[in-house]
Amino acid sequence: MSWKLWLKSNKTKKINLGFYGEVNAGKTTLANKIGMDWASQEVGEVSEIPHETREIQKLEKVKFVAEGTNLDLTLIDMPGVATSVNPKDFIKFGLSPAEALQRAKEATRGIVEAIKYLENVDVALVVVDATKHPFDQVNFTIIGNLEAQNKPFIIVPNKVDLPDSNAELVKDAFSNYHVAPISALQGEGIYDLYNMIASLARKVR
Amino acid sequence: MSFSVDFVPSTETQDLSYHDKINYILTRVIQRSIVVLETSLTPEEEMGLIEKTMKHINFKDFNGIRLVSFDSGETLRRTKLFGRSSNTRTFTIVAPNDAVSILKDDRGILSIKFNR
Ligand SMILES: Nc1nc2c(ncn2[C@@H]2O[C@H](COP(=O)(O)OP(=O)(O)O)[C@@H](O)[C@H]2O)c(=O)[nH]1
Ligand SMILES: [Mg+2]
């Protein structure tokens, strides 16, 4: 290998890694896992209450190495994309009507922000809750837009630690894409995902 | 609360610009119509529709939409053989979120339940 090639292959590449997907799929849990593994820092708050992430959260300068590829990642955790937001969904979790309304308003703004930010993402992780039916239109809408913008992405069926998860069904539904099933909570499958991120990142720019 | 179901032929929407198409659909849905479009929406149009929907939600009589595209049998067959292709021939249903529940199973059967 010539020294120029060698330099090039070892140069740290800056990559904006965006976390997309439905509400509560585990985007923040995964962003935190990656942040902790590579930078000993979390990105945001995780909650069982939908729309916990209502603003884009970033963690910069995450030094990541996999398959000999050095990356300088910016983790960009997005609000979950939804086609509707109903304050009633939060009242169930004990929020007051005023708090629920405030959360709902912030959630709608967050969704717009997440959509607008797509163009700044270099590689996207589309996190899918593997315990749910994978035919939610939102997943296809996100994937269709990533394809239209030529953004490399990985479909990440999450929560495979749960007994009612079905990663195979998600794999079937998205059979001609890169798919990496994981448990963001327990770490299962995470190294395969890291290798996949590295190989997609190599092709960026 | 009553809803109507509007079946919209492709001739209605084919000449509309991106923004006009989104407005056309959303105006009807906000006025409590379940819109069945003969054409499929592009991913960009779907995303634009979601974005616009978020700006129109008022937490009173409009909490958002349900958006489902129907895959033709031919599309489903090709999907089985070759994986999902983005150029799918479908029609599209856009409904007020509280009007219906839409279920889609892995055989491609779309079932719409009307709420009362
Ligand atoms: N069992 C299990 N639960 C998970 C996993 N990842 C996330 N969760 C839970 O799912 C809920 C939503 O997670 P969060 O990361 O906030 O989802 P987000 O809305 O996509 O950011 C929380 O209660 C998490 O603890 C996982 O891998 N396994
Ligand atoms: Mg989150």
Side-chain angles (χ1 to χ4, degrees):
Chain A
M1 200 190 284
S2 79
W3 65 273
K4 266 187 186 162
L5 259 177
W6 182 83
L7 261 184
K8 206 172 168 209
S9 65
N10 281 274
K11 214 177 90 184
T12 302
K13 203 170 196 176
K14 285 192 80 161
I15 293 286
N16 285 336
L17 185 67
F19 297 73
Y20 277 94
E22 298 161 74
V23 178
N24 270 6
K27 296 176 293 299
T28 306
T29 307
L30 176 58
N32 286 347
K33 167 77 182 153
I34 299 177
M36 286 307 291
D37 278 1
W38 300 100
S40 306
Q41 272 189 69
E42 296 205 327
V43 182
E45 292 287 323
V46 168
S47 172
E48 56 170 353
I49 311 176
H51 295 289
E52 182 64 24
T53 313
R54 299 185 293 287
E55 282 177 13
I56 291 173
Q57 305 283 334
K58 286 189 201 172
L59 181 64
E60 295 182 323
K61 300 195 169 59
V62 174
K63 306 287 184 223
F64 171 105
V65 189
E67 294 189 321
T69 303
N70 294 293
L71 300 175
D72 173 357
L73 295 179
T74 299
L75 308 180
I76 310 170
D77 184 26
M78 306 287 176
V81 178
T83 55
S84 65
V85 181
N86 194 337
K88 281 191 195 128
D89 296 342
F90 313 139
I91 290 175
K92 280 192 283 219
F93 289 95
L95 271 69
S96 73
E99 286 168 333
L101 184 62
Q102 183 59 24
R103 190 183 184 92
K105 282 182 179 163
E106 289 168 9
T108 60
R109 270 179 248 133
I111 291 169
V112 172
E113 229 191 293
I115 292 171
K116 285 203 183 348
Y117 215 84
L118 197 69
E119 57 182 315
N120 302 314
V121 165
D122 300 311
V123 177
L125 302 182
V126 182
V127 184
V128 180
D129 186 335
T131 66
K132 294 210 282 178
H133 223 258
F135 300 99
D136 189 308
Q137 186 75 30
V138 162
N139 291 326
F140 293 109
T141 303
I142 294 169
I143 290 166
N145 278 272
L146 289 165
E147 284 186 307
Q149 294 187 26
N150 275 320
K151 307 268 186 198
F153 63 92
I154 302 165
I155 293 162
V156 184
N158 184 33
K159 311 193 185 182
V160 299
D161 57 287
L162 294 176
D164 53 344
S165 68
N166 191 346
E168 287 309 310
L169 192 61
V170 184
K171 270 190 170 171
D172 275 356
F174 301 102
S175 55
N176 56 342
Y177 295 118
H178 300 285
V179 183
I182 60 154
S183 163
L185 205 60
Q186 299 190 351
E188 205 177 322
I190 201 80
Y191 287 101
D192 291 336
L193 175 63
Y194 290 161
N195 291 339
M196 224 179 253
I197 292 172
S199 79
L200 288 195
R202 277 198 295 273
K203 294 178 202 149
V204 173
R205 280 186 285 262
Chain B
M1 194 81 75
S2 73
F3 304 99
S4 63
V5 185
D6 299 345
F7 291 86
V8 180
S10 59
T11 42
E12 251 311 87
T13 52
Q14 67 192 6
D15 296 330
L16 296 178
S17 69
Y18 169 84
H19 287 288
D20 288 346
K21 195 165 175 181
I22 288 168
N23 286 336
Y24 179 96
I25 297 166
L26 204 54
T27 305
R28 278 166 188 269
V29 172
I30 289 172
Q31 289 166 1
R32 314 205 68 73
S33 284
I34 296 158
V35 179
V36 182
L37 298 159
E38 189 195 344
T39 53
S40 61
L41 296 175
T42 66
E44 291 94 333
E45 286 167 343
E46 286 180 2
M47 206 60 129
L49 182 61
I50 295 174
E51 194 177 337
K52 202 76 188 261
T53 296
M54 290 304 128
K55 293 175 177 166
H56 276 85
I57 289 181
N58 59 15
F59 307 110
K60 290 192 192 85
D61 44 19
F62 184 59
N63 283 325
I65 60 171
R66 287 191 197 275
L67 169 68
V68 187
S69 61
F70 179 80
D71 298 285
S72 67
E74 185 51 36
T75 302
L76 288 171
R77 185 160 39 232
R78 269 191 290 130
T79 304
K80 273 228 171 76
L81 286 172
F82 310 114
R84 187 158 288 272
S85 87
S86 40
N87 121 58
T88 49
R89 287 159 37 213
T90 60
F91 61 83
T92 305
I93 301 156
V94 189
N97 175 58
D98 53 354
V100 293
S101 335
I102 303 178
L103 294 172
K104 195 177 192 177
D105 70 13
D106 44 15
R107 284 152 57 206
I109 296 174
L110 204 68
S111 179
I112 303 183
K113 222 188 227 138
F114 291 81
N115 301 333
R116 288 200 271 160

